[in-house]
Structure formats: structure tokens, C-alpha cells
Amino acid sequence: METASAYKDFTERLRLFIRKHPALITTTLSNIFTMRLIGNKTHGDLAEIAISEFINQYMYDFRSIHVGKDLYRAKSQEEDIKIINEITKVEFPVSLKAYGHGPLQLSTDKTSSMFSLLENEKKEEGKIVDQEQIKSLLNSLVFLDFCKINVLPLIYNQQSKHCNILVFNYNLAYQSISQIMRIEPDERRKHPVYRFYAFRNKYIFEVRYGDATANALQHGLWTHTKKGYQFFDSITNGWINYSDNRLLVSLFSLALVSSETGQNAALREIKKDIKRLKQELCK
């Protein structure tokens, strides 16, 4: 089983698990997004640990390893956690994203390979509309390699307190592209971008400029969970409510100024609670 199909199998299994036990993922996502109360970027880093632990504790046919930032920087792939199917023994990397409902970076494309490829393509008035040309682009190694990145986005709406796990459907997106348009810089945007549209100018995704002068928000392949919602599959079976867990913030605060004796006592109680939750899965 190749990694792409192994990842698809995992997301399907995760969807079925969530449908059967929605309270577990609601609790986990609430705890993850609560970390925004500590810092705007804290939830992203802790999401990697939390989802990895969620898999290890509750999804018995899978095992997960948090790669960690030091290892991540040394990797050629965009990878935050590694998942192992315990039945087939297939391993596959996963890139975790924790973003608000809106712009979503699917790939950093650090070498700017996608943008460079598009710049060298023949265009008519800044557009690529020939379907054979578009098909050839999508079948290039640059875009095919992008499809191999397993991205698991955790999406939240802070105002409505709704969240979702939305996986971008590459196949549907690629099949729907009718034109590619070069958007020139303006007052809001310093660099050009290439936007991919479906029929009737329905937004799908965009490739942003990404040379050495570009920052993290100005390069890579991006989409938009609002504008391109139809090109995502919801693993949580739609939007679910979440709430801030201020008790968790208090627990972190006290743990940071306590000794290992107190931390061990708290850890024992947490492990008892997880054991209780596991027992309830079997009922």
C-alpha cells in the first residue's frame, strides 16, 4: 500500500471513529484551541503532540510518532508526525496545520518550484486556459510531488466557536481546474500570485511568489477554507462546537511552577481518566 492510499485509509478510519465517538475529538480539539489563550501560535505546536497522542491512545490499529522541530528541519518532506499502520506496517508522514477558517497554506514550496514553472508557461493575457496545457502542468513532477504531501488541517472559527478537520481533495481540485490566472501586485499584495479557478471563476487554490525576499505568508501553495470549501472533505463530519478549557490553562500554569512530585501525581490522575475513556469505548 503506497503512502497516499495509506493516508486516505487513515483519514477514512479517523472519520468513522469520530462519528462513533464524537466527544473524544471535541474534547481534544477544545483543548488544542484553548492554547490560543496562552499564545496565538502555541496551539499549532501543541496540536502536533495532541493529535499524535490521540492516535496512540484511541486508534488501536495505528501508532504515531511526533517528529519534533529539530528532526522536522532536517527532513526533505513537510512532516510533523509519522503514522504507522500496525496491520500493514506502512509508515507515512503527516503535516499538521492549525488555522483559522480562511487562508490555509498547503505547502511551503521552499524552492519556489511551482511558481517558477508557472512563470515559464505560455499565457494569453495573463491566463492559461488551454486544457491540454493545464493537464500537462498538473502532471508535471512539481505538482505531482505536491499531491504526495499528507496535510491534516485543524480549522477553527474563533467567533462562532466551531471547528472542523478538513482534508483538501487534490483529485477533485485538479479535475475541476478550468483556468489559471496570474494576478499582478497591487496595494495589498507586494508579489504576484497564480490563482486556479473552476467553472464560473470558482476559487480553488493559488501559488504565491516565493523567492528569497518573500516571507512565510508570501510563498507556497495556499487555498481558502471559505472560498474553496467544496474542495475539502470533512473528517469530523461537518462543523462541531468547541469551548475554551480554562481549567487546562490553570493546570499548565501550576505545572510550570510545581515540582516533579506534584507533576507525577497529576499525571497519574490523567492516566486514570484516559483509561476510563478507553473503557467507555468498549461499551
Side-chain angles (χ1 to χ4, degrees), residues 17-124:
F17 181 87
I18 290 171
R19 182 175 294 167
K20 190 174 181 181
H21 307 287
L24 286 176
I25 195 65
T26 299
T27 297
T28 301
L29 291 176
S30 292
N31 290 337
I32 289 171
F33 296 131
T34 291
M35 294 298 97
R36 286 182 54 78
L37 298 177
I38 297 176
N40 284 338
K41 295 182 179 180
T42 307
H43 67 294
D45 291 332
L46 291 181
E48 299 169 13
I49 300 172
I51 295 300
S52 183
E53 194 62 38
F54 182 92
I55 294 166
N56 287 332
Q57 293 294 342
Y58 302 123
M59 299 187 71
Y60 299 119
D61 291 343
F62 295 91
R63 179 165 55 90
S64 179
I65 300 170
H66 179 224
V67 175
K69 291 303 178 184
D70 290 336
L71 284 175
Y72 166 74
R73 292 190 183 99
K75 297 286 184 180
S76 59
Q77 293 177 304
E78 299 181 32
E79 173 182 350
D80 297 311
I81 65 175
K82 180 170 66 175
I83 300 175
I84 301 97
N85 185 315
E86 295 281 53
I87 307 300
T88 64
K89 304 305 178 184
V90 174
E91 302 181 3
F92 49 94
V94 174
S95 174
L96 263 293
K97 305 285 185 181
Y99 275 64
H101 192 24
L104 170 67
Q105 188 177 42
L106 293 172
S107 171
T108 56
D109 190 26
K110 293 180 180 179
T111 61
S112 192
S113 55
M114 284 183 278
F115 189 90
S116 299
L117 179 64
L118 291 165
E119 281 285 82
N120 293 325
E121 284 292 311
K122 181 181 178 182
K123 307 172 192 66
E124 295 181 10

Side-chain angles (χ1 to χ4, degrees), residues 4-268:
S5 58
Y7 178 63
K8 183 173 178 58
D9 174 64
F10 165 75
T11 55
E12 286 301 318
R13 295 280 295 279
L14 179 59
R15 189 205 306 268
L16 291 172
F17 181 87
I18 290 171
R19 182 175 294 167
K20 190 174 181 181
H21 307 287
L24 286 176
I25 195 65
T26 299
T27 297
T28 301
L29 291 176
S30 292
N31 290 337
I32 289 171
F33 296 131
T34 291
M35 294 298 97
R36 286 182 54 78
L37 298 177
I38 297 176
N40 284 338
K41 295 182 179 180
T42 307
H43 67 294
D45 291 332
L46 291 181
E48 299 169 13
I49 300 172
I51 295 300
S52 183
E53 194 62 38
F54 182 92
I55 294 166
N56 287 332
Q57 293 294 342
Y58 302 123
M59 299 187 71
Y60 299 119
D61 291 343
F62 295 91
R63 179 165 55 90
S64 179
I65 300 170
H66 179 224
V67 175
K69 291 303 178 184
D70 290 336
L71 284 175
Y72 166 74
R73 292 190 183 99
K75 297 286 184 180
S76 59
Q77 293 177 304
E78 299 181 32
E79 173 182 350
D80 297 311
I81 65 175
K82 180 170 66 175
I83 300 175
I84 301 97
N85 185 315
E86 295 281 53
I87 307 300
T88 64
K89 304 305 178 184
V90 174
E91 302 181 3
F92 49 94
V94 174
S95 174
L96 263 293
K97 305 285 185 181
Y99 275 64
H101 192 24
L104 170 67
Q105 188 177 42
L106 293 172
S107 171
T108 56
D109 190 26
K110 293 180 180 179
T111 61
S112 192
S113 55
M114 284 183 278
F115 189 90
S116 299
L117 179 64
L118 291 165
E119 281 285 82
N120 293 325
E121 284 292 311
K122 181 181 178 182
K123 307 172 192 66
E124 295 181 10
E125 298 180 350
K127 298 180 182 179
I128 302 173
V129 296
D130 182 82
Q131 293 304 299
E132 288 301 318
Q133 186 181 5
I134 291 174
K135 184 177 179 181
S136 177
L137 271 168
L138 298 177
N139 286 328
S140 67
L141 287 177
V142 170
F143 279 91
L144 288 178
D145 282 345
F146 159 68
C147 290
K148 297 176 183 177
I149 301 174
N150 303 319
V151 182
L152 190 67
L154 315 181
I155 305 300
Y156 65 93
N157 186 322
Q158 191 169 6
Q159 284 69 41
S160 64
K161 285 291 189 290
H162 287 146
C163 61
N164 211 328
I165 300 179
L166 293 171
V167 174
F168 192 67
N169 190 325
Y170 305 118
N171 291 332
L172 177 60
Y174 278 20
Q175 293 168 9
S176 302
I177 295 169
S178 63
Q179 67 171 314
I180 304 169
M181 185 181 300
R182 190 181 198 275
I183 309 297
E184 300 299 331
D186 56 23
E187 294 179 357
R188 297 174 303 154
R189 189 175 45 253
K190 182 179 178 181
H191 302 294
V193 299
Y194 281 92
R195 288 187 182 153
F196 292 65
Y197 295 99
F199 184 60
R200 292 182 178 174
N201 292 331
K202 178 65 180 176
Y203 177 93
I204 304 177
F205 58 74
E206 64 188 58
V207 173
R208 297 185 180 180
Y209 181 82
D211 76 349
T213 66
N215 62 36
L217 299 178
Q218 295 170 334
H219 65 72
L221 193 144
W222 290 71
T223 186
H224 199 290
T225 54
K226 291 181 181 178
K227 296 178 182 177
Y229 188 76
Q230 71 186 77
F231 300 105
F232 287 88
D233 296 323
S234 175
I235 305 303
T236 47
N237 307 293
W239 292 90
I240 58 177
N241 296 324
Y242 78 92
S243 57
D244 289 332
N245 182 359
R246 294 183 180 274
L247 179 61
L248 181 61
V249 178
S250 298
L251 179 63
F252 264 96
S253 300
L254 293 171
L256 290 172
V257 295
S258 67
S259 69
E260 287 190 9
T261 301
Q263 291 163 0
N264 275 324
L267 187 60
R268 285 195 296 271

